[in-house]
């Protein structure tokens, strides 16, 4: 099972990559303990050259944009079956994890979640 990169997330990652003139750009998603529900999503932009072939899994959007998302194995275990999306709201825009099948509950802002073991 993998994760899905939505067209909005794919388009935004491609736009960032083009504006930075960095075709090796990818979105790293890590899950750490913390937040108001026990686990929190941390997202950062990184280069594919920093990916560990042993510890990381790289996902590429199937739409041909070249958009990439990378996760370490512990984070992937908590996010399998999820979608990476990009949202634009009045308070700002952000990449988000949506439809996480392992999340029992999440906070209102969507940055932390609780899992069912």
């Amino acid at each position: 099972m993998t994760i899905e990169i939505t067209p909005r997330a794919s388009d935004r990652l491609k736009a960032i990559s083009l504006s930075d003139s960095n075709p090796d750009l990818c979105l790293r998603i890590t899950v750490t303990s913390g937040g108001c529900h026990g686990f929190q999503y941390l997202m950062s932009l990184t280069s594919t050259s920093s990916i560990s072939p042993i510890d990381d899994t790289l996902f590429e959007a199937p739409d041909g944009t070249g958009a990439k998302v990378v996760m370490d194995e512990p984070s992937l275990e908590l996010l399998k079956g999820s979608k990476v999306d990009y949202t634009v709201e009045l308070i700002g825009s952000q990449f988000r994890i949506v439809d996480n099948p392992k999340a029992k509950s999440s906070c209102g802002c969507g940055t932390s979640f609780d899992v069912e073991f």
Side-chain angles (χ1 to χ4, degrees), residues 5-20 25 27 45 63 65 67-68 84-88 93-95:
I5 303 169
T6 67
R8 281 190 304 241
S10 176
D11 289 345
R12 183 62 184 141
L13 282 169
K14 181 65 174 177
I16 294 170
S17 179
L18 288 173
S19 71
D20 287 356
L25 191 75
L27 179 67
L45 296 171
D63 59 7
T65 60
K68 298 173 193 76
V84 180
D85 197 12
Y86 184 76
T87 59
V88 178
S93 56
Q94 66 181 341
F95 289 100

Side-chain angles (χ1 to χ4, degrees), residues 28-87:
R28 176 173 287 280
I29 302 174
T30 308
V31 175
T32 62
S33 60
C36 56
H37 275 74
F39 292 99
Q40 61 187 352
Y41 306 112
L42 298 178
M43 300 187 195
S44 61
L45 296 171
T46 189
S47 175
T48 54
S49 63
S50 69
I51 295 172
S52 166
I54 297 169
D55 299 325
D56 294 326
T57 302
L58 183 68
F59 300 94
E60 189 165 344
D63 59 7
T65 60
K68 298 173 193 76
V69 172
V70 64
M71 294 181 195
D72 59 38
E73 192 60 37
S75 298
L76 181 56
E77 283 300 314
L78 293 169
L79 297 176
K80 283 182 182 177
S82 298
K83 296 178 187 175
V84 180
D85 197 12
Y86 184 76
T87 59

